[in-house]
Amino acid sequence: MTIRYGESISKWEESVSASAEDPTLGQRLAASPARAGSAERRILDHIAARPGEVLFASASEIGHATGTSDASVIRTVQRLGYPGLKDFKSALRASLDQGTISAAMRENDGAAGRTSEPRRRVATPDVYAELRELILTGGISTDRYVTEVELAARFGVSRTPVREALRILEQKGLIVRDHRGVRAPVQTRAEMNELYDAHILLNSALVRRACERRTTADIETMRTLNRVMRELPLERAGSQEAAAANRRFHEASWDAARDRTLGVLVRQLNDQLDQWSGTTLDEPGRWPQSLDEHDAIIDAIEQRDAERAEAIVTAHLEAARRIRQARYPA
């Protein structure tokens, strides 16, 4: 079932449908007609070469790794026949377990003259996502160690996926572990200030690049996301829903900079800051003020006014720092 890249999407879909009642992910990847060098092809090649990494990655992170956008990632997943990234990852996990991705893509690699990187089995994305959420919401504390056995029992899995997920979380600075188990890192006020200093530096660099590299679509995306946030009731400002919406807005501004390295670093720092009592948006008056600052950031990026954009972003983050400082007095 080999199809040339130049054939149409519709012909590809007909071929995949004819090959099996429920074609495997490996078959879908191998049959894709995406053109060489296109955004879709780069995403598909990344999935085939690094399926383990993709299991843990968000659409934005996959986009950064491939030099594309999160929207391109979602479109690619949907063209493969999956409603969204979650459904795609379920199929990816099953394909890794069955080895169908490796077999199908090896056949396709031979036809296209490519070679795939070695694959390795990794933890399931669900365990990683659950552990990360547990950490960021205070479910793993600084004063009590939790063992791999306890966590495996909690999630109903073996210790292997738990161990792999913990290794990645440790690399990201979200946990510490030793022979006693794992716990959240003890954070000092000085460390919090260091994180904010670094966060401000990274965001300043990113917003300057965004002013240079943004597209009309980037501006529209940011305006839409902020408009959606304004529709949330004020009493929901401290909710996980509001925090997630706020993060999506900032990720959109980072993506507009088209700088993969800075984007990865700022996301890692953002997770570490979230361990400090989660969101600051529940502070009285902070929600509407934050949304107004978002609009000002968008305006400055749209006008390519790097100086003003940097000043607004810095003030935005300094306001969040002051709230956290008040919650954690020296």
Side-chain angles (χ1 to χ4, degrees):
M1 185 184 63
T2 301
I3 297 180
R4 298 181 184 279
Y5 294 139
E7 294 181 18
S8 68
I9 292 292
S10 61
K11 186 173 181 180
W12 164 58
E13 290 171 341
E14 290 172 2
S15 176
V16 170
S17 298
S19 68
E21 289 185 4
D22 186 15
T24 66
L25 174 57
Q27 289 173 324
R28 294 169 191 260
L29 288 170
S32 171
R35 299 187 311 276
S38 67
E40 185 175 350
R41 172 48 55 195
R42 294 201 301 274
I43 293 166
L44 293 174
D45 286 348
H46 181 70
I47 292 168
R50 298 180 177 84
E53 291 181 17
V54 172
L55 278 175
F56 294 106
S58 66
S60 294
E61 289 169 335
I62 297 171
H64 279 293
T66 56
T68 62
S69 66
D70 55 348
S72 294
V73 173
I74 298 302
R75 280 196 299 270
T76 299
V77 165
Q78 291 174 339
R79 283 184 173 177
L80 287 173
Y82 302 99
L85 196 59
K86 182 177 180 180
D87 303 278
F88 165 76
K89 286 185 176 181
S90 294
L92 177 58
R93 183 172 59 214
S95 295
L96 279 172
D97 291 339
Q98 298 163 8
T100 55
I101 282 188
S102 298
M105 291 310 295
R106 274 198 300 271
E107 179 182 350
N108 194 54
D109 287 342
R114 297 192 303 271
T115 57
S116 296
E117 297 179 19
R119 278 82 167 175
R120 63 184 179 86
R121 191 166 295 187
V122 297
T124 65
D126 292 340
V127 173
Y128 171 81
E130 288 288 337
L131 275 171
R132 178 179 174 277
E133 185 67 17
L134 195 64
I135 294 164
L136 295 182
T137 56
I140 294 181
S141 65
T142 61
D143 55 1
R144 179 182 177 274
Y145 283 88
V146 183
T147 67
E148 289 181 2
V149 173
E150 290 177 277
L151 292 170
R154 176 179 184 135
F155 298 123
V157 297
S158 70
R159 292 174 62 183
T160 300
V162 170
R163 186 180 301 117
E164 181 66 16
L166 289 175
R167 181 185 65 79
I168 296 171
L169 290 164
E170 183 180 25
Q171 289 176 346
K172 293 187 174 184
L174 295 180
I175 60 165
V176 294
R177 65 175 170 172
D178 57 28
H179 65 282
R180 293 168 290 184
V182 303
R183 62 171 173 80
V186 176
Q187 297 168 308
T188 67
R189 185 184 173 99
E191 288 171 338
M192 179 189 69
N193 281 319
E194 288 175 359
L195 285 173
Y196 265 104
D197 288 342
H199 207 36
I200 289 169
L201 285 173
L202 287 174
N203 274 274
S204 295
L206 282 164
V207 80
R208 282 183 168 275
R209 282 170 170 74
C211 287
E212 298 170 1
R213 303 171 182 176
R214 62 88 177 153
T215 65
T216 301
D218 292 324
I219 299 299
E220 292 174 353
T221 297
M222 286 186 282
R223 291 204 186 281
T224 299
L225 290 171
N226 208 42
R227 191 159 52 243
V228 169
M229 290 174 70
R230 287 193 183 277
E231 293 173 359
L232 285 174
L234 186 59
E235 59 269 19
R236 299 281 295 160
S239 67
Q240 289 295 317
E241 180 185 9
N246 184 62
R247 177 160 184 141
R248 284 195 296 271
F249 170 83
H250 285 287
E251 286 184 336
S253 72
W254 301 333
D255 290 345
R258 289 167 176 75
D259 189 311
R260 185 179 66 84
T261 300
L262 289 180
V264 170
L265 290 173
V266 78
R267 283 170 169 82
Q268 183 173 330
L269 277 177
N270 204 67
D271 276 351
Q272 293 180 35
L273 281 171
D274 280 348
Q275 288 183 286
W276 286 86
S277 74
T279 182
T280 61
L281 297 172
D282 56 352
E283 184 75 8
R286 180 58 184 158
W287 180 252
Q289 178 190 29
S290 182
L291 298 181
D292 289 343
E293 289 167 354
H294 287 177
D295 280 333
I297 291 169
I298 298 169
D299 290 342
I301 293 175
E302 183 174 31
Q303 295 163 16
R304 303 192 189 278
D305 189 338
E307 293 294 331
R308 186 159 65 94
E310 181 180 358
I312 298 168
V313 164
T314 299
H316 184 69
L317 293 173
E318 289 289 6
R321 187 208 304 248
R322 287 192 296 272
I323 293 171
R324 291 193 196 273
Q325 286 175 334
R327 293 177 178 179
Y328 291 87

